[in-house]
Short mmCIF file of all heavy atoms in Angstrom, two decimals:
data_model
loop_
_atom_site.label_atom_id
_atom_site.label_comp_id
_atom_site.label_asym_id
_atom_site.label_seq_id
_atom_site.Cartn_x
_atom_site.Cartn_y
_atom_site.Cartn_z
N MET A 77 -27.76 -2.39 -27.34
CA MET A 77 -27.10 -3.19 -28.27
C MET A 77 -25.71 -2.58 -28.53
O MET A 77 -25.61 -1.35 -28.68
CB MET A 77 -27.89 -3.34 -29.58
CG MET A 77 -27.15 -4.29 -30.51
SD MET A 77 -28.25 -4.85 -31.82
CE MET A 77 -27.96 -3.56 -33.05
N ARG A 78 -24.71 -3.43 -28.66
CA ARG A 78 -23.34 -2.95 -29.11
C ARG A 78 -22.89 -3.64 -30.34
O ARG A 78 -22.98 -4.88 -30.43
CB ARG A 78 -22.49 -3.26 -27.87
CG ARG A 78 -21.01 -2.91 -28.09
CD ARG A 78 -20.15 -2.98 -26.84
NE ARG A 78 -18.74 -2.97 -27.08
CZ ARG A 78 -17.91 -2.98 -26.08
NH1 ARG A 78 -18.30 -3.11 -24.84
NH2 ARG A 78 -16.63 -2.93 -26.39
N VAL A 79 -22.46 -2.83 -31.32
CA VAL A 79 -21.93 -3.44 -32.52
C VAL A 79 -20.45 -3.30 -32.60
O VAL A 79 -19.88 -2.26 -32.43
CB VAL A 79 -22.59 -2.74 -33.77
CG1 VAL A 79 -22.01 -3.27 -35.02
CG2 VAL A 79 -24.14 -2.82 -33.77
N GLU A 80 -19.82 -4.45 -32.81
CA GLU A 80 -18.34 -4.47 -32.91
C GLU A 80 -17.99 -4.66 -34.46
O GLU A 80 -18.37 -5.67 -35.05
CB GLU A 80 -17.71 -5.68 -32.20
CG GLU A 80 -17.83 -5.49 -30.70
CD GLU A 80 -16.89 -4.44 -30.19
OE1 GLU A 80 -15.92 -4.12 -30.76
OE2 GLU A 80 -17.31 -3.73 -29.18
N SER A 81 -17.34 -3.69 -35.05
CA SER A 81 -17.07 -3.82 -36.44
C SER A 81 -15.47 -3.74 -36.61
O SER A 81 -14.81 -3.37 -35.70
CB SER A 81 -17.72 -2.70 -37.31
OG SER A 81 -17.33 -1.47 -36.75
N GLY A 82 -15.08 -3.91 -37.89
CA GLY A 82 -13.62 -3.76 -38.18
C GLY A 82 -12.68 -4.83 -37.66
O GLY A 82 -11.53 -4.71 -37.57
N CYS A 83 -13.32 -6.00 -37.41
CA CYS A 83 -12.59 -7.13 -36.92
C CYS A 83 -12.54 -8.24 -37.92
O CYS A 83 -13.61 -8.72 -38.34
CB CYS A 83 -13.19 -7.69 -35.59
SG CYS A 83 -12.37 -9.22 -35.08
N ASP A 84 -11.43 -8.56 -38.51
CA ASP A 84 -11.33 -9.65 -39.52
C ASP A 84 -11.36 -10.92 -38.79
O ASP A 84 -10.44 -11.31 -38.04
CB ASP A 84 -10.04 -9.43 -40.25
CG ASP A 84 -9.82 -10.57 -41.32
OD1 ASP A 84 -10.66 -11.52 -41.37
OD2 ASP A 84 -8.82 -10.53 -42.07
N ILE A 85 -12.49 -11.70 -38.92
CA ILE A 85 -12.67 -12.91 -38.11
C ILE A 85 -11.76 -14.13 -38.53
O ILE A 85 -11.75 -15.18 -37.96
CB ILE A 85 -14.13 -13.35 -38.09
CG1 ILE A 85 -14.65 -13.75 -39.47
CG2 ILE A 85 -14.99 -12.28 -37.43
CD1 ILE A 85 -15.98 -14.47 -39.42
N THR A 86 -11.05 -13.91 -39.63
CA THR A 86 -10.05 -14.88 -40.08
C THR A 86 -8.71 -14.71 -39.37
O THR A 86 -7.81 -15.48 -39.52
CB THR A 86 -9.81 -14.94 -41.57
OG1 THR A 86 -9.15 -13.64 -41.99
CG2 THR A 86 -11.15 -15.07 -42.40
N SER A 87 -8.58 -13.60 -38.67
CA SER A 87 -7.36 -13.25 -38.00
C SER A 87 -7.37 -13.57 -36.53
O SER A 87 -8.05 -12.89 -35.79
CB SER A 87 -7.05 -11.75 -38.22
OG SER A 87 -6.13 -11.29 -37.24
N PRO A 88 -6.59 -14.57 -36.05
CA PRO A 88 -6.58 -14.80 -34.61
C PRO A 88 -6.21 -13.61 -33.75
O PRO A 88 -6.77 -13.37 -32.67
CB PRO A 88 -5.50 -15.93 -34.54
CG PRO A 88 -5.46 -16.55 -35.80
CD PRO A 88 -5.76 -15.50 -36.79
N GLU A 89 -5.22 -12.78 -34.27
CA GLU A 89 -4.78 -11.60 -33.55
C GLU A 89 -5.96 -10.58 -33.42
O GLU A 89 -6.17 -10.08 -32.37
CB GLU A 89 -3.61 -10.93 -34.31
CG GLU A 89 -2.32 -11.75 -34.36
CD GLU A 89 -2.38 -12.84 -35.37
OE1 GLU A 89 -3.20 -12.69 -36.34
OE2 GLU A 89 -1.59 -13.69 -35.31
N ALA A 90 -6.71 -10.38 -34.50
CA ALA A 90 -7.81 -9.46 -34.48
C ALA A 90 -8.91 -9.86 -33.58
O ALA A 90 -9.51 -9.08 -32.73
CB ALA A 90 -8.42 -9.23 -35.86
N VAL A 91 -9.25 -11.20 -33.54
CA VAL A 91 -10.22 -11.73 -32.65
C VAL A 91 -9.76 -11.65 -31.15
O VAL A 91 -10.55 -11.35 -30.23
CB VAL A 91 -10.63 -13.12 -33.05
CG1 VAL A 91 -11.65 -13.71 -32.08
CG2 VAL A 91 -11.26 -13.04 -34.43
N SER A 92 -8.45 -11.85 -30.97
CA SER A 92 -7.97 -11.72 -29.57
C SER A 92 -8.10 -10.29 -29.05
O SER A 92 -8.45 -10.14 -27.87
CB SER A 92 -6.49 -12.14 -29.50
OG SER A 92 -6.29 -13.52 -29.64
N LYS A 93 -7.81 -9.35 -29.98
CA LYS A 93 -7.93 -7.97 -29.63
C LYS A 93 -9.36 -7.69 -29.32
O LYS A 93 -9.74 -6.96 -28.23
CB LYS A 93 -7.47 -7.11 -30.77
CG LYS A 93 -7.38 -5.66 -30.46
CD LYS A 93 -6.54 -4.94 -31.47
CE LYS A 93 -6.65 -3.43 -31.19
NZ LYS A 93 -7.25 -2.68 -32.35
N LEU A 94 -10.38 -8.21 -30.04
CA LEU A 94 -11.69 -7.98 -29.81
C LEU A 94 -12.15 -8.57 -28.37
O LEU A 94 -12.83 -7.84 -27.58
CB LEU A 94 -12.53 -8.69 -30.86
CG LEU A 94 -14.11 -8.77 -30.69
CD1 LEU A 94 -14.66 -7.33 -30.75
CD2 LEU A 94 -14.75 -9.64 -31.70
N ALA A 95 -11.59 -9.72 -28.14
CA ALA A 95 -11.89 -10.40 -26.84
C ALA A 95 -11.33 -9.48 -25.70
O ALA A 95 -12.03 -9.22 -24.68
CB ALA A 95 -11.27 -11.72 -26.76
N SER A 96 -10.16 -8.90 -25.88
CA SER A 96 -9.59 -7.94 -24.88
C SER A 96 -10.47 -6.76 -24.73
O SER A 96 -10.73 -6.42 -23.55
CB SER A 96 -8.26 -7.51 -25.27
OG SER A 96 -7.38 -8.58 -25.42
N ASN A 97 -11.03 -6.27 -25.84
CA ASN A 97 -11.87 -5.05 -25.78
C ASN A 97 -13.11 -5.23 -25.01
O ASN A 97 -13.74 -4.43 -24.40
CB ASN A 97 -12.20 -4.53 -27.17
CG ASN A 97 -11.04 -3.97 -27.91
OD1 ASN A 97 -9.99 -3.63 -27.29
ND2 ASN A 97 -11.08 -3.79 -29.18
N LEU A 98 -13.65 -6.60 -25.07
CA LEU A 98 -14.82 -6.90 -24.49
C LEU A 98 -14.75 -7.50 -23.04
O LEU A 98 -15.69 -7.90 -22.44
CB LEU A 98 -15.58 -7.98 -25.39
CG LEU A 98 -16.12 -7.42 -26.73
CD1 LEU A 98 -16.64 -8.65 -27.54
CD2 LEU A 98 -17.13 -6.38 -26.59
N LYS A 99 -13.45 -7.61 -22.59
CA LYS A 99 -13.23 -8.24 -21.31
C LYS A 99 -14.09 -7.54 -20.20
O LYS A 99 -14.14 -6.33 -20.12
CB LYS A 99 -11.71 -8.11 -20.95
CG LYS A 99 -11.34 -9.12 -20.02
CD LYS A 99 -9.82 -9.15 -19.78
CE LYS A 99 -9.44 -10.12 -18.73
NZ LYS A 99 -8.72 -11.25 -19.21
N GLY A 100 -14.74 -8.34 -19.46
CA GLY A 100 -15.55 -7.74 -18.29
C GLY A 100 -16.95 -7.52 -18.83
O GLY A 100 -17.84 -7.27 -17.93
N SER A 101 -17.19 -7.52 -20.09
CA SER A 101 -18.66 -7.35 -20.53
C SER A 101 -19.47 -8.65 -20.54
O SER A 101 -18.86 -9.70 -20.61
CB SER A 101 -18.63 -6.90 -21.98
OG SER A 101 -17.78 -5.80 -22.26
N THR A 102 -20.69 -8.48 -20.27
CA THR A 102 -21.69 -9.63 -20.22
C THR A 102 -22.28 -9.69 -21.68
O THR A 102 -22.82 -8.73 -22.11
CB THR A 102 -22.71 -9.49 -19.20
OG1 THR A 102 -22.05 -9.43 -17.93
CG2 THR A 102 -23.64 -10.73 -19.18
N ILE A 103 -22.18 -10.83 -22.28
CA ILE A 103 -22.82 -11.04 -23.59
C ILE A 103 -24.00 -11.98 -23.53
O ILE A 103 -23.82 -13.15 -23.08
CB ILE A 103 -21.82 -11.60 -24.63
CG1 ILE A 103 -20.59 -10.62 -24.78
CG2 ILE A 103 -22.44 -11.83 -26.03
CD1 ILE A 103 -19.48 -11.15 -25.61
N ASP A 104 -25.20 -11.54 -23.71
CA ASP A 104 -26.35 -12.24 -23.64
C ASP A 104 -26.65 -12.97 -25.00
O ASP A 104 -27.08 -14.20 -25.08
CB ASP A 104 -27.64 -11.48 -23.25
CG ASP A 104 -27.42 -10.91 -21.85
OD1 ASP A 104 -26.98 -11.69 -20.93
OD2 ASP A 104 -27.61 -9.69 -21.70
N VAL A 105 -26.53 -12.22 -26.08
CA VAL A 105 -26.75 -12.67 -27.45
C VAL A 105 -25.60 -12.24 -28.36
O VAL A 105 -25.25 -11.10 -28.36
CB VAL A 105 -28.07 -12.16 -28.05
CG1 VAL A 105 -28.34 -12.62 -29.45
CG2 VAL A 105 -29.24 -12.54 -27.14
N LEU A 106 -25.04 -13.23 -29.03
CA LEU A 106 -23.96 -12.78 -30.02
C LEU A 106 -24.51 -13.12 -31.42
O LEU A 106 -25.00 -14.22 -31.74
CB LEU A 106 -22.72 -13.68 -29.76
CG LEU A 106 -21.70 -13.65 -30.84
CD1 LEU A 106 -21.02 -12.28 -30.90
CD2 LEU A 106 -20.53 -14.72 -30.51
N ILE A 107 -24.50 -12.11 -32.26
CA ILE A 107 -24.93 -12.21 -33.68
C ILE A 107 -23.67 -12.27 -34.54
O ILE A 107 -22.98 -11.34 -34.75
CB ILE A 107 -25.86 -11.12 -34.14
CG1 ILE A 107 -27.07 -11.05 -33.25
CG2 ILE A 107 -26.25 -11.35 -35.63
CD1 ILE A 107 -28.03 -9.91 -33.48
N ASN A 108 -23.34 -13.48 -34.97
CA ASN A 108 -22.14 -13.82 -35.79
C ASN A 108 -22.56 -13.63 -37.19
O ASN A 108 -22.86 -14.64 -37.89
CB ASN A 108 -21.69 -15.26 -35.53
CG ASN A 108 -20.43 -15.40 -34.73
OD1 ASN A 108 -19.52 -14.55 -34.86
ND2 ASN A 108 -20.39 -16.42 -33.87
N ASN A 109 -22.54 -12.44 -37.81
CA ASN A 109 -23.13 -12.27 -39.09
C ASN A 109 -22.15 -12.26 -40.29
O ASN A 109 -22.65 -12.16 -41.42
CB ASN A 109 -24.06 -10.97 -39.16
CG ASN A 109 -23.13 -9.73 -39.16
OD1 ASN A 109 -22.28 -9.60 -38.34
ND2 ASN A 109 -23.39 -8.80 -40.06
N ALA A 110 -20.92 -12.30 -40.02
CA ALA A 110 -19.97 -12.24 -41.22
C ALA A 110 -20.12 -13.50 -42.01
O ALA A 110 -20.33 -14.55 -41.55
CB ALA A 110 -18.50 -12.17 -40.73
N GLY A 111 -20.13 -13.25 -43.33
CA GLY A 111 -20.25 -14.34 -44.23
C GLY A 111 -19.93 -14.00 -45.70
O GLY A 111 -20.09 -12.82 -46.02
N ILE A 112 -19.39 -14.87 -46.41
CA ILE A 112 -19.09 -14.56 -47.88
C ILE A 112 -19.61 -15.70 -48.69
O ILE A 112 -19.68 -16.85 -48.17
CB ILE A 112 -17.63 -14.31 -48.15
CG1 ILE A 112 -16.75 -15.47 -47.71
CG2 ILE A 112 -17.19 -13.03 -47.54
CD1 ILE A 112 -15.30 -15.32 -48.12
N LEU A 113 -19.98 -15.46 -49.92
CA LEU A 113 -20.34 -16.53 -50.94
C LEU A 113 -19.63 -16.28 -52.21
O LEU A 113 -19.92 -15.19 -52.87
CB LEU A 113 -21.76 -16.58 -51.10
CG LEU A 113 -22.37 -17.56 -52.22
CD1 LEU A 113 -22.00 -19.03 -51.71
CD2 LEU A 113 -23.86 -17.45 -52.35
N LYS A 114 -18.74 -17.15 -52.60
CA LYS A 114 -18.11 -17.06 -53.96
C LYS A 114 -18.60 -18.28 -54.68
O LYS A 114 -18.61 -19.40 -54.17
CB LYS A 114 -16.57 -17.14 -53.86
CG LYS A 114 -15.94 -16.25 -52.77
CD LYS A 114 -15.71 -14.87 -53.32
CE LYS A 114 -15.02 -13.97 -52.35
NZ LYS A 114 -15.07 -12.56 -52.63
N ARG A 115 -19.10 -18.05 -55.86
CA ARG A 115 -19.64 -19.19 -56.68
C ARG A 115 -18.47 -19.99 -57.34
O ARG A 115 -17.66 -19.45 -58.11
CB ARG A 115 -20.57 -18.71 -57.62
CG ARG A 115 -21.78 -17.96 -56.93
CD ARG A 115 -23.00 -17.99 -57.74
NE ARG A 115 -24.01 -17.31 -56.94
CZ ARG A 115 -24.90 -17.87 -56.01
NH1 ARG A 115 -24.88 -19.09 -55.84
NH2 ARG A 115 -25.76 -17.20 -55.40
N ASN A 116 -18.46 -21.26 -57.04
CA ASN A 116 -17.48 -22.19 -57.66
C ASN A 116 -18.33 -23.36 -58.25
O ASN A 116 -19.38 -23.76 -57.79
CB ASN A 116 -16.57 -22.84 -56.65
CG ASN A 116 -15.40 -21.90 -56.37
OD1 ASN A 116 -14.29 -21.99 -56.96
ND2 ASN A 116 -15.55 -21.05 -55.36
N THR A 117 -17.85 -23.90 -59.37
CA THR A 117 -18.50 -25.07 -59.94
C THR A 117 -17.45 -26.21 -59.99
O THR A 117 -16.25 -25.98 -59.84
CB THR A 117 -18.95 -24.84 -61.38
OG1 THR A 117 -17.76 -24.51 -62.16
CG2 THR A 117 -19.84 -23.58 -61.44
N LEU A 118 -17.95 -27.48 -60.12
CA LEU A 118 -17.05 -28.60 -60.18
C LEU A 118 -16.06 -28.44 -61.41
O LEU A 118 -15.01 -28.94 -61.31
CB LEU A 118 -17.87 -29.88 -60.21
CG LEU A 118 -18.43 -30.35 -58.94
CD1 LEU A 118 -19.32 -31.56 -59.15
CD2 LEU A 118 -17.37 -30.64 -57.83
N GLU A 119 -16.61 -27.79 -62.39
CA GLU A 119 -15.75 -27.61 -63.60
C GLU A 119 -14.65 -26.54 -63.43
O GLU A 119 -13.72 -26.51 -64.13
CB GLU A 119 -16.61 -27.26 -64.84
CG GLU A 119 -17.55 -28.31 -65.34
CD GLU A 119 -18.76 -28.49 -64.42
OE1 GLU A 119 -19.18 -27.55 -63.72
OE2 GLU A 119 -19.28 -29.65 -64.35
N ASN A 120 -14.90 -25.63 -62.43
CA ASN A 120 -14.02 -24.54 -62.25
C ASN A 120 -13.77 -24.29 -60.77
O ASN A 120 -14.17 -23.31 -60.18
CB ASN A 120 -14.66 -23.30 -62.96
CG ASN A 120 -13.68 -22.13 -62.97
OD1 ASN A 120 -12.48 -22.33 -62.74
ND2 ASN A 120 -14.24 -20.99 -63.14
N LEU A 121 -13.02 -25.24 -60.10
CA LEU A 121 -12.80 -25.09 -58.67
C LEU A 121 -11.59 -24.13 -58.35
O LEU A 121 -10.58 -24.34 -58.94
CB LEU A 121 -12.49 -26.45 -58.16
CG LEU A 121 -13.72 -27.47 -57.97
CD1 LEU A 121 -13.16 -28.85 -57.60
CD2 LEU A 121 -14.75 -26.89 -57.08
N ASP A 122 -11.86 -23.26 -57.56
CA ASP A 122 -10.84 -22.33 -57.04
C ASP A 122 -10.59 -22.59 -55.63
O ASP A 122 -11.30 -22.05 -54.75
CB ASP A 122 -11.31 -20.86 -57.32
CG ASP A 122 -10.23 -19.83 -56.82
OD1 ASP A 122 -9.39 -20.18 -56.05
OD2 ASP A 122 -10.36 -18.63 -57.21
N PHE A 123 -9.52 -23.34 -55.31
CA PHE A 123 -9.30 -23.83 -53.99
C PHE A 123 -8.95 -22.68 -52.96
O PHE A 123 -9.30 -22.71 -51.80
CB PHE A 123 -8.28 -24.93 -53.85
CG PHE A 123 -8.83 -26.29 -54.35
CD1 PHE A 123 -8.62 -26.63 -55.69
CD2 PHE A 123 -9.59 -26.97 -53.52
CE1 PHE A 123 -9.22 -27.82 -56.14
CE2 PHE A 123 -10.19 -28.19 -53.95
CZ PHE A 123 -9.99 -28.63 -55.23
N ASP A 124 -8.33 -21.54 -53.52
CA ASP A 124 -8.06 -20.45 -52.61
C ASP A 124 -9.37 -19.82 -52.18
O ASP A 124 -9.51 -19.45 -51.00
CB ASP A 124 -7.14 -19.46 -53.31
CG ASP A 124 -5.74 -19.90 -53.42
OD1 ASP A 124 -5.34 -20.80 -52.64
OD2 ASP A 124 -5.02 -19.43 -54.40
N SER A 125 -10.26 -19.67 -53.10
CA SER A 125 -11.59 -19.13 -52.87
C SER A 125 -12.38 -19.98 -51.83
O SER A 125 -13.00 -19.50 -50.88
CB SER A 125 -12.39 -18.96 -54.14
OG SER A 125 -13.77 -18.93 -53.93
N ILE A 126 -12.35 -21.25 -52.07
CA ILE A 126 -13.03 -22.20 -51.20
C ILE A 126 -12.42 -22.19 -49.80
O ILE A 126 -13.17 -22.18 -48.76
CB ILE A 126 -12.99 -23.68 -51.77
CG1 ILE A 126 -13.79 -23.66 -53.09
CG2 ILE A 126 -13.58 -24.70 -50.80
CD1 ILE A 126 -13.56 -24.97 -53.90
N ARG A 127 -11.12 -22.18 -49.70
CA ARG A 127 -10.45 -22.10 -48.42
C ARG A 127 -10.84 -20.84 -47.60
O ARG A 127 -11.12 -20.84 -46.52
CB ARG A 127 -8.89 -22.13 -48.69
CG ARG A 127 -8.13 -22.49 -47.44
CD ARG A 127 -6.63 -22.70 -47.77
NE ARG A 127 -6.40 -23.94 -48.49
CZ ARG A 127 -5.93 -24.02 -49.82
NH1 ARG A 127 -5.80 -22.91 -50.49
NH2 ARG A 127 -5.77 -25.21 -50.38
N GLN A 128 -10.88 -19.66 -48.36
CA GLN A 128 -11.35 -18.42 -47.78
C GLN A 128 -12.80 -18.50 -47.22
O GLN A 128 -13.02 -17.99 -46.16
CB GLN A 128 -11.13 -17.36 -48.83
CG GLN A 128 -11.56 -15.92 -48.22
CD GLN A 128 -10.60 -15.45 -47.23
OE1 GLN A 128 -9.51 -15.95 -47.01
NE2 GLN A 128 -10.93 -14.26 -46.67
N GLN A 129 -13.61 -19.17 -47.96
CA GLN A 129 -15.00 -19.31 -47.53
C GLN A 129 -15.11 -20.17 -46.26
O GLN A 129 -15.84 -19.84 -45.36
CB GLN A 129 -15.91 -19.89 -48.64
CG GLN A 129 -16.05 -18.92 -49.76
CD GLN A 129 -16.83 -19.52 -50.96
OE1 GLN A 129 -18.04 -19.55 -50.84
NE2 GLN A 129 -16.15 -19.96 -51.96
N PHE A 130 -14.33 -21.23 -46.17
CA PHE A 130 -14.29 -22.04 -44.92
C PHE A 130 -13.72 -21.22 -43.81
O PHE A 130 -14.21 -21.23 -42.69
CB PHE A 130 -13.43 -23.28 -45.17
CG PHE A 130 -14.13 -24.46 -45.69
CD1 PHE A 130 -14.01 -24.77 -47.04
CD2 PHE A 130 -15.12 -25.17 -45.01
CE1 PHE A 130 -14.74 -25.83 -47.57
CE2 PHE A 130 -15.80 -26.18 -45.48
CZ PHE A 130 -15.65 -26.53 -46.81
N GLU A 131 -12.67 -20.33 -44.04
CA GLU A 131 -12.11 -19.50 -42.96
C GLU A 131 -13.14 -18.59 -42.52
O GLU A 131 -13.31 -18.42 -41.24
CB GLU A 131 -10.94 -18.70 -43.60
CG GLU A 131 -9.60 -19.45 -43.59
CD GLU A 131 -9.06 -19.70 -42.17
OE1 GLU A 131 -9.47 -18.95 -41.24
OE2 GLU A 131 -8.23 -20.60 -42.05
N VAL A 132 -13.93 -17.90 -43.40
CA VAL A 132 -14.86 -16.88 -42.94
C VAL A 132 -16.16 -17.47 -42.44
O VAL A 132 -16.69 -17.11 -41.34
CB VAL A 132 -15.20 -15.92 -44.06
CG1 VAL A 132 -16.29 -14.90 -43.73
CG2 VAL A 132 -13.97 -15.17 -44.56
N ASN A 133 -16.66 -18.50 -43.17
CA ASN A 133 -17.99 -18.99 -42.87
C ASN A 133 -18.07 -20.08 -41.79
O ASN A 133 -19.04 -20.27 -41.15
CB ASN A 133 -18.63 -19.51 -44.14
CG ASN A 133 -18.87 -18.52 -45.19
OD1 ASN A 133 -18.79 -17.31 -44.90
ND2 ASN A 133 -18.97 -18.88 -46.40
N ALA A 134 -16.99 -20.87 -41.67
CA ALA A 134 -16.97 -21.97 -40.74
C ALA A 134 -16.01 -21.73 -39.57
O ALA A 134 -16.46 -21.81 -38.37
CB ALA A 134 -16.58 -23.20 -41.49
N LEU A 135 -14.78 -21.41 -39.77
CA LEU A 135 -13.83 -21.32 -38.80
C LEU A 135 -14.01 -19.91 -38.02
O LEU A 135 -13.86 -19.78 -36.78
CB LEU A 135 -12.36 -21.44 -39.22
CG LEU A 135 -12.06 -22.74 -39.90
CD1 LEU A 135 -10.66 -22.83 -40.38
CD2 LEU A 135 -12.42 -23.94 -39.00
N GLY A 136 -14.31 -18.86 -38.73
CA GLY A 136 -14.44 -17.52 -38.23
C GLY A 136 -15.51 -17.48 -37.08
O GLY A 136 -15.12 -17.07 -35.91
N PRO A 137 -16.68 -17.92 -37.29
CA PRO A 137 -17.70 -17.95 -36.26
C PRO A 137 -17.24 -18.78 -34.94
O PRO A 137 -17.57 -18.37 -33.84
CB PRO A 137 -18.97 -18.57 -36.93
CG PRO A 137 -18.79 -18.30 -38.33
CD PRO A 137 -17.28 -18.33 -38.56
N LEU A 138 -16.54 -19.89 -35.20
CA LEU A 138 -16.06 -20.69 -34.05
C LEU A 138 -15.05 -19.84 -33.35
O LEU A 138 -15.07 -19.75 -32.07
CB LEU A 138 -15.39 -21.94 -34.57
CG LEU A 138 -16.33 -23.10 -34.93
CD1 LEU A 138 -15.42 -24.25 -35.50
CD2 LEU A 138 -17.01 -23.57 -33.69
N ARG A 139 -14.18 -19.23 -34.02
CA ARG A 139 -13.10 -18.35 -33.37
C ARG A 139 -13.70 -17.20 -32.58
O ARG A 139 -13.35 -17.02 -31.43
CB ARG A 139 -12.18 -17.87 -34.44
CG ARG A 139 -10.94 -17.09 -33.98
CD ARG A 139 -10.06 -16.65 -35.13
NE ARG A 139 -9.35 -17.75 -35.77
CZ ARG A 139 -9.44 -18.12 -37.02
NH1 ARG A 139 -10.24 -17.43 -37.93
NH2 ARG A 139 -8.80 -19.12 -37.53
N VAL A 140 -14.74 -16.65 -33.14
CA VAL A 140 -15.32 -15.46 -32.51
C VAL A 140 -16.09 -15.93 -31.21
O VAL A 140 -16.08 -15.36 -30.15
CB VAL A 140 -16.35 -14.71 -33.36
CG1 VAL A 140 -17.14 -13.66 -32.60
CG2 VAL A 140 -15.50 -13.98 -34.49
N THR A 141 -16.85 -17.01 -31.43
CA THR A 141 -17.62 -17.60 -30.33
C THR A 141 -16.65 -17.96 -29.14
O THR A 141 -17.01 -17.75 -27.98
CB THR A 141 -18.44 -18.76 -30.73
OG1 THR A 141 -19.29 -18.39 -31.75
CG2 THR A 141 -19.28 -19.44 -29.64
N1 LIG B 55 -28.22 -11.87 -49.13
C1 LIG B 55 -28.91 -13.03 -49.23
O1 LIG B 55 -30.04 -13.05 -49.76
C2 LIG B 55 -28.35 -14.33 -48.61
C3 LIG B 55 -29.13 -15.43 -48.64
C4 LIG B 55 -28.67 -16.66 -48.16
C5 LIG B 55 -27.38 -16.65 -47.55
N2 LIG B 55 -26.66 -15.55 -47.55
C6 LIG B 55 -25.30 -15.56 -47.01
O2 LIG B 55 -25.23 -14.70 -45.92
C7 LIG B 55 -23.91 -14.24 -45.84
C8 LIG B 55 -23.92 -12.70 -45.83
O3 LIG B 55 -24.63 -12.29 -46.98
P1 LIG B 55 -24.90 -10.74 -47.28
O4 LIG B 55 -25.66 -10.58 -48.45
O5 LIG B 55 -25.30 -10.09 -45.94
O6 LIG B 55 -23.40 -10.31 -47.62
P2 LIG B 55 -22.64 -8.94 -47.47
O7 LIG B 55 -23.67 -7.79 -47.64
O8 LIG B 55 -21.52 -9.02 -48.38
O9 LIG B 55 -22.20 -8.84 -45.97
C9 LIG B 55 -21.21 -9.70 -45.49
C10 LIG B 55 -20.80 -9.21 -44.17
O10 LIG B 55 -19.72 -10.13 -43.68
C11 LIG B 55 -18.62 -9.29 -43.30
N3 LIG B 55 -17.36 -10.07 -43.51
C12 LIG B 55 -16.94 -10.68 -44.67
N4 LIG B 55 -15.70 -11.20 -44.48
C13 LIG B 55 -15.33 -10.89 -43.09
C14 LIG B 55 -14.23 -11.15 -42.32
N5 LIG B 55 -13.23 -11.84 -42.82
N6 LIG B 55 -14.18 -10.67 -41.08
C15 LIG B 55 -15.25 -9.93 -40.62
N7 LIG B 55 -16.40 -9.67 -41.34
C16 LIG B 55 -16.40 -10.12 -42.63
C17 LIG B 55 -18.65 -8.06 -44.19
O11 LIG B 55 -17.93 -7.03 -43.52
P3 LIG B 55 -17.39 -5.80 -44.29
O12 LIG B 55 -18.54 -5.05 -44.87
O13 LIG B 55 -16.58 -5.05 -43.28
O14 LIG B 55 -16.57 -6.35 -45.38
C18 LIG B 55 -20.11 -7.81 -44.25
O15 LIG B 55 -20.63 -7.05 -43.11
C19 LIG B 55 -23.10 -14.79 -46.96
O16 LIG B 55 -22.42 -15.94 -46.54
C20 LIG B 55 -24.22 -15.22 -47.96
O17 LIG B 55 -23.86 -16.26 -48.81
C21 LIG B 55 -27.11 -14.30 -48.09
#
C-alpha cells in the first residue's frame, strides 16, 4: 500500500504534481478519503464555508480521480 499525503485536493496544481509523481504507477484501488464537515443552518448560512465543502467533498475527489 502507498499513502500519498500533503496534497491539497482543492488545488489543481497540487493534484497535477501528485499525478506527475505517480506517473507510470499502476493503481488498483484509490481511497479518496479527504473530507470536511462544517455545520451550517438555514438561519446562519456561511457561503464561503459551503463553497469550501463543495470544493473538498465534491470537486476534490473528482479532480483526484
Ligand atoms: N468521523 C465520523 O464519524 C464521520 C461520520 C460520517 C461522515 N464523516 C465525514 O467523513 C469525512 C472525514 O471525517 P473525519 O472524521 O475522518 O475527519 P478528519 O479526521 O478531520 O479527517 C479529514 C481528512 O481530510 C483531509 N483533508 C481535508 N481537507 C483536505 C484538502 N483540501 N486536501 C486534502 N486533504 C484534505 C485531512 O487532511 P489533513 O489532516 O492533512 O488536514 C484529513 O486527513 C468528513 O467529510 C466527515 O463529515 C465522518
Side-chain angles (χ1 to χ4, degrees):
M77 183 164 91
R78 177 168 168 179
V79 177
E80 290 292 330
S81 59
C83 173
D84 179 355
I85 64 166
T86 67
S87 160
E89 295 78 18
V91 175
S92 287
K93 189 165 171 241
L94 175 65
S96 300
N97 291 345
L98 293 173
K99 203 171 176 113
S101 308
T102 301
I103 299 172
D104 298 314
V105 176
L106 169 66
I107 302 176
N108 248 326
N109 72 309
I112 57 172
L113 175 62
K114 312 272 184 196
R115 299 204 180 272
N116 277 269
T117 63
L118 284 176
E119 291 75 28
N120 187 16
L121 288 174
D122 177 344
F123 284 97
D124 286 338
S125 157
I126 294 167
R127 197 173 288 113
Q128 179 69 6
Q129 290 176 82
F130 275 104
E131 275 292 338
V132 175
N133 298 340
L135 302 182
L138 280 177
R139 186 176 286 121
V140 172
T141 302

